[in-house]
Amino acid sequence: MNALLNADLHCHSVVSDGTLTPEALAERARANGVELWALTDHDEVGGQHRAAAAAKAVGMKYLTGTEISVTFADITVHIVGLGFDPDHPALVQGLKRTRGGREERAREMADGLAKVGIQGAFEGALQYVGNPDLISRTHFARHLVESGVCRDTNEVFRKFLTEGKPGFVPHRWAQLGDAVRWITEAGGLAVIAHPARYDHNPTREYALFTEFKAHGGRGVEVVTGSHTAAEYVKYADLAIEFGLAASRGSDFHSPDESHCDLGKLPYLEGRLTPVWELLADRIQ
Ligand code: AMP
Ligand code: MN
Ligand code: MN
Ligand code: MN
């Protein structure tokens, strides 16, 4: 399998902060021409057996996936894991620990919103939650749109849910080395998700890539729904400079919110080593 493969190795279901079930995502991916798919719910592998079965049912190849939140240099960074054993105890336990604390954080977020006159946001957000362990900012955003406080989720994040805004609560996630280790010990490959989306200066970005590699990380997302064409080139260059394989994924969450649909992305450049080449024996 070469770079010219319609692989979509990043998306979310109701098991985290997406709005579609794993089965509906598999059907949508297949209809969009996806040949190799991974469901990568945030900090959770609870949808993996369903996703693999759904992929098989529609005749699509599958890699297991997750997207782990880590704190690196005081910033939240996301690490995608691919091709692991979803029942591996180190991974399952590590993810369980990192999910713990989301409810308390959500209550603090609601307290912050109450101070600016938005009452009942915790209960409101809960109405959109598919997995009680995984209440996220996305669920607050959906509630604030549906209740008419904002026009769209982007506006909610801009006004209420990002650093310095009333509903933002800083959170300590797992450490970079932990996330890479859980993925690797479970037989998978760790990938830096959407690297252009972090507020790092170039020195910090270099440190992230260097430490990620030192911990055993092997890949970086180059073509993702949240990168521009210029960023595809920048991170293709960085992948080559750091000897990392390249990944491709839409980061699709919902037909109503995501601007990039499953599988609707440019191919990886031929000069890159695709992550699926390193995971050939893990493809189901
Ligand atoms: P959390 O893990 O609770 O901090 O929520 C993070 C999630 O919020 C991400 O996975 C995205 O789905 C979503 N998100 C983050 N920033 C934005 C934004 N600016 N606009 C829309 N969604 C966002
Ligand atoms: Mn998300
Ligand atoms: Mn992410
Ligand atoms: Mn994501």
Side-chain angles (χ1 to χ4, degrees), residues 111-134:
D111 291 345
L113 292 169
K115 287 192 182 119
V116 294
I118 300 167
Q119 305 298 333
F122 179 79
E123 293 73 19
L126 265 191
Q127 291 186 289
Y128 297 89
V129 168
N131 174 354
D133 249 14
L134 219 119

Side-chain angles (χ1 to χ4, degrees), residues 51-246:
K56 194 171 179 189
V58 298
M60 184 167 58
K61 294 195 175 78
Y62 189 73
L63 277 170
T64 54
T66 186
E67 181 178 21
I68 307 179
S69 317
V70 308
T71 302
F72 178 80
D74 287 331
I75 283 178
T76 298
V77 168
H78 287 171
I79 301 297
V80 161
L82 297 169
F84 48 79
D85 166 8
D87 302 314
H88 192 279
L91 177 68
V92 170
Q93 288 306 314
L95 291 180
K96 192 169 177 205
R97 237 182 304 130
T98 211
R99 284 194 302 273
R102 272 188 180 265
E103 181 175 334
E104 198 185 325
R105 169 193 185 228
R107 290 191 188 279
E108 288 176 34
M109 287 169 63
D111 291 345
L113 292 169
K115 287 192 182 119
V116 294
I118 300 167
Q119 305 298 333
F122 179 79
E123 293 73 19
L126 265 191
Q127 291 186 289
Y128 297 89
V129 168
N131 174 354
D133 249 14
L134 219 119
I135 178 160
S136 95
R137 283 186 289 163
T138 315
H139 302 113
F140 279 85
R142 288 190 186 126
H143 166 62
L144 294 188
V145 171
E146 290 306 315
S147 58
V149 175
C150 290
R151 256 168 309 145
D152 56 36
T153 52
N154 267 333
E155 187 186 341
V156 183
F157 275 90
R158 203 177 59 245
K159 290 189 175 162
F160 297 106
L161 299 182
T162 42
E163 183 142 20
K165 301 298 162 63
F168 183 79
V169 174
H171 196 72
R172 282 255 142 223
W173 302 106
Q175 292 191 20
L176 177 64
D178 292 332
V180 175
R181 185 168 42 78
W182 300 334
I183 295 163
T184 310
E185 283 182 1
L189 186 143
V191 176
I192 300 173
H194 43 64
R197 295 283 67 79
Y198 310 122
D199 247 342
H200 283 138
N201 61 36
T203 310
R204 292 276 180 94
E205 181 168 74
Y206 202 84
L208 170 65
F209 275 67
T210 305
E211 287 193 32
F212 174 73
K213 266 219 79 149
H215 287 300
R218 306 278 304 279
V220 59
E221 281 184 350
V222 171
V223 172
T224 100
S226 67
H227 279 183
T228 64
E231 287 163 349
Y232 301 153
V233 178
K234 173 180 171 182
Y235 290 97
D237 289 345
L238 263 191
I240 288 168
E241 183 183 341
F242 279 88
L244 293 169

Side-chain angles (χ1 to χ4, degrees), residues 10 12 16-18 42 67 78 136 138 142 251 253:
H10 190 152
H12 301 273
S16 63
D17 62 348
H42 294 287
E67 181 178 21
H78 287 171
S136 95
T138 315
R142 288 190 186 126
D251 206 358
H253 282 69

Side-chain angles (χ1 to χ4, degrees), residues 12-52:
H12 301 273
S13 76
V14 290
V15 174
S16 63
D17 62 348
T19 62
L20 301 183
T21 60
E23 291 76 17
L25 285 168
E27 280 181 21
R28 190 180 182 99
R30 192 72 192 118
N32 285 357
V34 172
E35 295 163 279
L36 173 66
W37 177 52
L39 170 66
T40 56
D41 277 310
H42 294 287
D43 305 319
E44 175 65 277
V45 289
Q48 290 306 306
H49 291 292
R50 277 172 72 183

